[in-house]
């Protein structure tokens, strides 16, 4: 994890640094960011301590050396494929996240820290580069973007400076959390928690995170690439206990539309999980309480002009994430149709004003 010695850059992180034998260590109080429908995540009052050790340096046996990228994909890796690879670590440890470690490698051969995780998602040589290697143009893995406004699915935000000891970090950008672009959804491998999917603000504002794009990343839904429809099942978000935000609100509204009445409070709690399990059992799905691609495909409902109800509210909730400013009233009128047409046109979908499977997938997974 990257932490600067100056507290002014990250005022919500308390740092205690200890130097011993030339190896830096730290105890960091990391803010738990609540995922909400507002302009950005909030800091939860009950913060937890997370301990981090020094990141392996370039000459370490735990870091892929120059010329060892034989396993890197030779063809362009789609953003959806990269994100799907990242998602695998959320449940790879017997249904739980891969534990964090700078000294161990996971079963797939990749180091279990932030840069090892990103190396796995990119299909780089094992055990993976460190953050400096990921950001180094000489490695040929990434190119630096001029601003965070250019971020697209699969891009990286990297704090790679070597001037503050060994504490550095990298996260995978998935999509913007709101139309104001004041927070975004990301995948990261972090101390204590392991693999996580949450809203972040790294790189937005005054800090030392810089945006990068993997050079072999291109095409596919959400990556600025072509195609009239998103890759099948690739863009659906994965929601589970603890998830929060507009996607959860839409899922709750869709569950209500399917007959499982819930408060649309944007928080995936026990009642939402129980409703998901009941829905999954009724549809002969794996009843794991997690809303993934298979559950989404059964949960959504096609809505169009004249439709009304909770499924329309779910669609309006999603359209508002993109800044369309609709009243979430459950009525598919002219304003909702106009917003749908504009969204479809902007995302290279068939422009028919009908929110069917392809438009739902893009609404939930393209930002």
């Amino acid at each position: 994890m990257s932490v600067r010695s100056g507290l002014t850059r990250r005022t919500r992180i308390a740092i205690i640094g200890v130097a011993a034998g030339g190896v830096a260590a730290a105890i960091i109080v990391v803010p738990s960011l609540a995922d909400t429908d507002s302009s950005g995540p909030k800091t939860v009052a009950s913060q937890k301590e997370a301990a981090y050790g020094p990141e392996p340096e370039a000459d370490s046996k735990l870091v892929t050396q120059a010329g060892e990228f034989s396993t890197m994909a030779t063809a362009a890796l789609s953003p959806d494929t990269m994100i799907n690879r990242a998602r695998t670590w959320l449940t790879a440890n017997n249904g739980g996240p891969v534990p964090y470690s700078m000294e161990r490698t996971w079963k797939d051969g990749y180091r279990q820290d932030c840069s090892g995780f990103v190396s796995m998602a990119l299909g780089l040589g094992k055990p993976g580069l460190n953050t400096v290697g990921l950001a180094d143009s000489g490695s040929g893995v990434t190119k630096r973007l001029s601003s965070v406004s250019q971020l697209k699915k699969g891009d990286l935000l990297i704090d790679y400076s070597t001037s503050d000891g060994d504490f550095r970090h990298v996260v995978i950008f998935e999509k913007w959390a709101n139309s104001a672009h004041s927070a975004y959804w990301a995948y990261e491998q972090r101390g204590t928690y392991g693999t996580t999917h949450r809203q972040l603000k790294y790189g937005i504002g005054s800090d030392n995170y810089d945006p990068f794009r993997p050079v072999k990343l291109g095409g596919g839904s959400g990556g600025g690439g072509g195609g009239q429809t998103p890759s099948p099942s690739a863009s659906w978000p994965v929601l589970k206990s603890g998830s929060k935000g507009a996607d959860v609100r839409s899922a709750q509204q869709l569950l209500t539309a399917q007959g499982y009445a819930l408060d649309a409070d944007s928080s995936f709690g026990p009642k939402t999980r129980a409703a998901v399990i009941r829905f999954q059992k009724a549809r002969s799905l794996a009843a794991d309480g997690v809303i993934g691609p298979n559950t989404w495909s059964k949960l959504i409902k096609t809505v169009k002009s004249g439709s009304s109800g909770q499924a329309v509210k779910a669609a309006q909730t999603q359209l508002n994430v993109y800044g369309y400013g609709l009243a979430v009233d459950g009525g598919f009128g002219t304003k909702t149709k106009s917003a749908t047409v504009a969204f479809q046109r902007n995302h290279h979908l068939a422009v028919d004003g009908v929110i069917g499977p392809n438009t739902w997938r893009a609404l939930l997974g393209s930002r």
Side-chain angles (χ1 to χ4, degrees):
M1 176 67 179
S2 172
V3 180
R4 290 281 173 268
S5 57
L7 295 182
T8 56
R9 187 170 67 86
R10 298 177 191 167
T11 57
R12 289 173 294 176
I13 301 178
I15 307 168
I16 301 175
V18 180
V23 177
I27 297 175
I28 306 167
V29 179
V30 179
S32 176
L33 300 180
D35 307 322
T36 71
D37 290 332
S38 63
S39 60
K42 299 177 181 177
T43 303
V44 176
S46 57
Q47 297 174 330
K48 298 181 179 180
E49 291 186 353
Y52 298 90
E55 178 183 55
E57 295 302 326
D59 57 355
S60 169
K61 292 182 180 179
L62 290 169
V63 176
T64 304
Q65 302 300 304
E68 294 181 357
F69 295 106
S70 58
T71 60
M72 186 174 182
T74 56
L77 187 70
S78 78
D80 287 329
T81 298
M82 181 189 176
I83 293 296
N84 282 344
R85 289 171 65 94
R87 284 175 181 162
T88 63
W89 273 28
L90 287 172
T91 56
N93 186 26
N94 295 319
V98 172
Y100 181 93
S101 175
M102 290 185 176
E103 300 175 348
R104 296 194 302 270
T105 57
W106 187 239
K107 299 172 184 177
D108 55 14
Y110 287 97
R111 200 174 58 255
Q112 293 169 222
D113 62 1
C114 61
S115 47
F117 169 62
V118 171
S119 296
M120 178 278 298
L122 286 171
L124 301 179
K126 303 173 184 179
L129 291 176
N130 62 8
T131 52
V132 177
L134 289 170
D136 184 3
S137 60
S139 300
V141 176
T142 63
K143 61 180 180 181
R144 185 171 175 173
L145 302 175
S146 60
S147 72
V148 294
S149 64
Q150 295 178 301
L151 286 169
K152 295 180 179 180
K153 182 188 289 186
D155 289 341
L156 310 175
L157 284 126
I158 312 177
D159 183 345
Y160 58 93
S161 174
T162 58
S163 63
D164 61 341
D166 299 310
F167 303 102
R168 304 188 284 269
H169 196 42
V170 55
V171 300
I172 300 172
F173 178 92
E174 182 191 20
K175 58 188 178 183
W176 291 108
N178 51 48
S179 58
H181 290 187
S182 61
Y184 57 89
W185 284 95
Y187 290 86
E188 63 178 333
Q189 185 74 359
R190 57 182 182 133
T192 300
Y193 302 94
T195 316
T196 56
H197 179 223
R198 61 176 184 153
Q199 283 188 37
L200 296 175
K201 297 180 76 172
Y202 302 153
I204 300 175
S206 222
D207 63 20
N208 290 306
Y209 283 85
D210 295 312
F212 289 82
R213 177 161 298 153
V215 297
K216 291 185 179 291
L217 198 65
S221 168
Q228 290 299 305
T229 61
S231 300
S233 75
S235 295
W236 299 111
V238 176
L239 305 179
K240 58 183 179 179
S241 295
S243 297
K244 297 177 185 290
D247 291 350
V248 176
R249 181 182 291 273
S250 291
Q252 291 166 329
Q253 290 162 331
L254 287 167
L255 282 164
T256 299
Q258 295 283 359
Y260 303 86
L262 288 168
D263 290 333
D265 60 4
S266 305
S267 180
F268 200 123
K271 291 182 179 180
T272 299
R273 185 175 187 274
V276 172
I277 290 174
R278 293 198 302 272
F279 174 79
Q280 290 171 327
K281 288 180 178 179
R283 296 304 181 97
S284 300
L285 297 165
D288 57 5
V290 176
I291 303 178
N294 292 332
T295 301
W296 278 118
S297 66
K298 300 289 186 181
L299 186 59
I300 58 170
K301 287 190 170 186
T302 296
V303 292
K304 57 185 178 179
S305 292
S307 298
S308 61
Q310 291 292 323
V312 176
K313 286 187 176 182
Q316 291 167 331
T317 295
Q318 287 299 312
L319 285 164
N320 283 345
V321 171
Y322 295 85
Y324 290 101
L326 298 170
V328 182
D329 57 8
F332 202 120
T334 55
K335 291 183 178 179
T336 300
K337 182 176 180 180
S338 295
T340 301
V341 167
F343 176 84
Q344 290 172 327
R345 185 176 293 114
N346 290 337
H347 290 78
H348 310 291
L349 297 162
V351 181
D352 57 7
V354 176
I355 301 179
N358 289 330
T359 301
W360 272 117
R361 191 159 59 240
L363 277 169
L364 286 156
S366 295
R367 56 188 179 275

